[in-house]
């Protein structure tokens, strides 16, 4: 057992064992249990049941997952290999619909199969491993870079509000929305952070408050319906949130309740920043209304986190896992290649141009 939750890897590959090792996030903060995922069903379940969650961490898990499943395919024939690969890829891709990082990572892995179709199946499997490891390594750099850009938007002593968990537990390191907080912490910025508890699955209370506290950050937990009050009190200088999919016009899907925070921030003139790896920006999705929003079981609202059921039997429940924040409520979108501002269409073009240029140098 390690002393601090921050010392654990969110998602790790144990290639020799043929497994992905994750922290079961449904048990945090009460219990730190590492679990091993080997089969397609185990990987699918871990993503669906939020044992591993957060857009970037889902992407890394999918990449390791499809590599391990590809390794189990017993054929030397490319066509047979690819057919089975596609089947497994589509299955993993069906685990959650909103976070684009899932399909983004799986597409990247499929691209490796296609680009190496003339090679032996064994060599393709090796190339898949290299790509999956690269996806995880890149995630660390991406989050750090988002943190550096994000830090340029705030000053020492600021109050920062965040929603859900876009922290280290949702990524490979630093988190996205928490990256400016962690980098600021290293520089002695002494931020005061407000973490929304984030109903119904409490990612803010169970995960964000936990990891910030474990890192020595000054964090105050509030219920979701308290954010307007702390804003009105003048305690919040900036809001930082993560995202699961950003449409081409800047509309952003993130954990349910995010858009309410954005509306309140606008009312109180507080900048609202979305931290978005470019892998989460989906230029193929025109606007937020085209983003598929995951709906989850009613039990998550009525009973899951209570000792006993807290809603009458038979009541109708609506439980969307995400909402879309309209782009005009967003002050800026912080990516690893710079800060995008409205009009986001043109700003994204600039960001992706920079990404292409930097990548071509490597
Ligand atoms: O349902 P979850 O816990 O996967 O939702 C997570 C979020 O909404 C995060 O804010 C988002 O994935 C960004 S994580 C860096």
């Amino acid at each position: 057992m390690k002393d601090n939750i921050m010392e654990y890897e969110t998602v790790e590959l144990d290639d020799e064992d043929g497994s992905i090792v994750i922290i079961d996030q449904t048990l945090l903060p009460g219990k730190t249990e590492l679990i091993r995922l080997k089969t397609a069903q185990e990987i699918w379940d871990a993503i669906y049941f939020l044992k591993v969650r957060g857009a970037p961490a889902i992407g890394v898990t999918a990449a390791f997952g499809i590599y391990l499943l590809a390794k189990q395919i017993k054929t030397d024939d490319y066509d047979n290999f690819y057919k089975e690969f596609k089947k497994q890829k589509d299955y993993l891709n069906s685990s959650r619909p909103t976070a684009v990082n899932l399909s983004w990572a799986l597409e990247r892995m499929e691209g490796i199969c296609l680009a190496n179709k003339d090679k032996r199946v064994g060599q393709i499997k090796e190339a898949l491993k290299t790509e999956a490891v690269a996806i995880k390594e890149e995630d660390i750099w991406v989050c750090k870079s988002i943190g550096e850009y994000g830090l340029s938007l705030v000053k020492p002593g600021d109050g920062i509000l965040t929603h859900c968990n876009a922290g280290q537990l949702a990524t490979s390191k630093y988190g996205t929305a928490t990256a400016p907080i962690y980098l600021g912490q290293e520089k002695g910025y002494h931020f005061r952070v407000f973490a929304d508890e984030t109903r119904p699955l409490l990612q803010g209370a169970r995960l964000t408050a936990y990891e910030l506290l474990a890192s020595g950050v000054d964090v105050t937990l509030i219920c979701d319906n308290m954010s307007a009050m702390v804003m009105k009190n003048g305690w919040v200088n900036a809001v930082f949130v993560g995202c699961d999919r950003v449409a081409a016009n800047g509309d952003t899907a993130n954990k349910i309740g995010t858009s309410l925070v954005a509306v309140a921030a606008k009312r109180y003139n507080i900048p609202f920043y979305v931290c978005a790896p470019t892998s989460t920006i989906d230029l193929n999705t025109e606007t937020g209304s085209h983003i598929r929003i995951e709906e989850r079981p009613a039990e998550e609202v009525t009973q899951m986190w209570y000792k006993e059921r807290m809603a009458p039997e038979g009541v109708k429940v609506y439980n969307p896992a995400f909402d879309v924040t309209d782009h005009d409520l967003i002050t800026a979108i912080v990516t690893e290649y710079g800060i995008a501002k409205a009009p986001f269409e043109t700003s994204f073009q600039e960001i992706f141009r920079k990404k292409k240029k930097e990548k071509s140098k490597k």
Side-chain angles (χ1 to χ4, degrees):
M1 277 314 260
K2 299 184 172 159
D3 291 338
N4 191 306
I5 189 68
M6 302 305 275
E7 291 169 27
Y8 286 92
E9 298 265 336
T10 306
V11 185
E12 208 173 1
L13 174 70
D14 183 343
D15 197 18
E16 225 167 273
D17 184 53
S19 63
I20 308 168
V21 185
I22 60 162
I23 310 165
D24 182 347
Q25 297 195 26
T26 60
L27 304 177
L28 293 175
K31 198 169 166 200
T32 306
E33 192 173 302
L34 298 181
I35 53 171
R36 288 178 179 271
L37 317 172
K38 289 189 174 182
T39 66
Q41 183 75 55
E42 284 167 352
I43 300 164
W44 194 97
D45 282 356
I47 297 174
Y48 178 78
F49 290 109
L50 275 66
K51 291 179 179 185
V52 58
R53 31 68 50 206
I58 292 172
V60 173
T61 306
F64 283 155
I66 194 67
Y67 158 64
L68 290 177
L69 298 175
K71 214 168 80 159
Q72 291 166 21
I73 302 171
K74 288 188 176 43
T75 177
D76 290 330
D77 176 73
Y78 175 81
D79 289 335
N80 289 338
F81 171 78
Y82 181 62
K83 206 168 131 204
E84 186 57 24
F85 178 95
K86 276 282 277 180
K87 205 170 96 191
Q88 301 285 18
K89 177 199 152 204
D90 291 345
Y91 177 62
L92 293 186
N93 201 24
S94 70
S95 52
R96 291 192 82 187
T98 306
V100 69
N101 301 61
L102 176 62
S103 55
W104 168 86
L106 290 169
E107 291 298 324
R108 242 178 95 159
M109 295 296 280
E110 183 178 2
I112 294 297
C113 285
L114 297 169
N116 291 287
K117 62 191 324 170
D118 299 331
K119 304 225 170 94
R120 288 198 312 275
V121 168
Q123 291 174 302
I124 297 176
K125 290 178 180 174
E126 271 310 305
L128 285 169
K129 178 180 172 184
T130 307
E131 188 69 359
V133 171
I135 287 174
K136 178 173 171 179
E137 291 300 315
E138 281 170 27
D139 184 39
I140 300 173
W141 174 80
V142 164
C143 289
K144 185 151 192 233
S145 180
I146 287 175
E148 279 156 5
Y149 283 114
L151 199 58
S152 72
L153 299 167
V154 280
K155 50 183 196 325
D158 270 357
I160 293 175
L161 186 137
T162 189
H163 189 75
C164 192
N165 174 262
Q168 172 148 311
L169 287 163
T171 63
S172 303
K173 205 172 160 66
Y174 303 111
T176 56
T178 55
I181 299 169
Y182 287 133
L183 296 191
Q185 171 89 348
E186 284 170 17
K187 293 186 158 77
Y189 270 42
H190 300 295
F191 293 129
R192 292 164 293 106
V193 180
F194 293 90
D196 283 353
E197 68 174 351
T198 317
R199 283 272 294 151
L201 296 182
L202 307 179
Q203 289 92 332
R206 295 186 302 105
L207 309 175
T208 303
Y210 185 40
E211 59 164 272
L212 291 178
L213 202 60
S215 308
V217 173
D218 174 348
V219 56
T220 304
L221 177 64
I222 57 171
C223 300
D224 296 336
N225 51 5
M226 298 170 188
S227 55
M229 166 115 179
V230 297
M231 289 182 193
K232 192 171 183 174
N233 286 352
W235 297 345
V236 180
N237 302 93
V239 175
F240 282 97
V241 295
C243 58
D244 288 81
R245 193 180 296 247
V246 181
N249 70 342
D251 289 350
T252 292
N254 190 47
K255 179 54 54 191
I256 189 71
T258 302
S259 68
L260 207 57
V261 177
V263 170
K266 182 99 171 170
R267 171 70 181 84
Y268 294 110
N269 254 322
I270 296 165
F272 183 90
Y273 300 120
V274 171
C275 295
T278 49
S279 56
T280 314
I281 301 173
D282 179 8
L283 296 179
N284 295 322
T285 296
E286 228 175 291
T287 70
S289 59
H290 297 91
I291 299 176
R292 197 175 138 210
I293 299 294
E294 173 184 9
E295 276 192 47
R296 297 188 60 89
E299 293 70 44
E300 289 183 350
V301 177
T302 55
Q303 62 200 68
M304 195 167 166
W305 300 99
Y306 301 109
K307 217 165 172 184
E308 47 190 81
R309 192 182 164 92
M310 277 294 149
E313 291 287 353
V315 70
K316 283 198 286 181
V317 172
Y318 175 48
N319 183 20
F322 302 94
D323 61 21
V324 172
T325 301
D326 299 323
H327 61 272
D328 59 341
L329 295 174
I330 299 171
T331 313
I333 299 181
V334 185
T335 80
E336 72 273 27
Y337 288 103
I339 300 172
K341 291 208 167 145
F344 289 107
E345 287 90 342
T346 18
S347 209
F348 287 160
Q349 273 175 24
E350 190 53 44
I351 297 275
F352 279 99
R353 246 198 308 275
K354 188 167 171 204
K355 181 176 180 175
K356 203 168 163 195
K357 206 167 137 197
E358 298 285 323
K359 287 241 164 204
S360 68
K361 279 193 213 153
K362 286 181 189 158

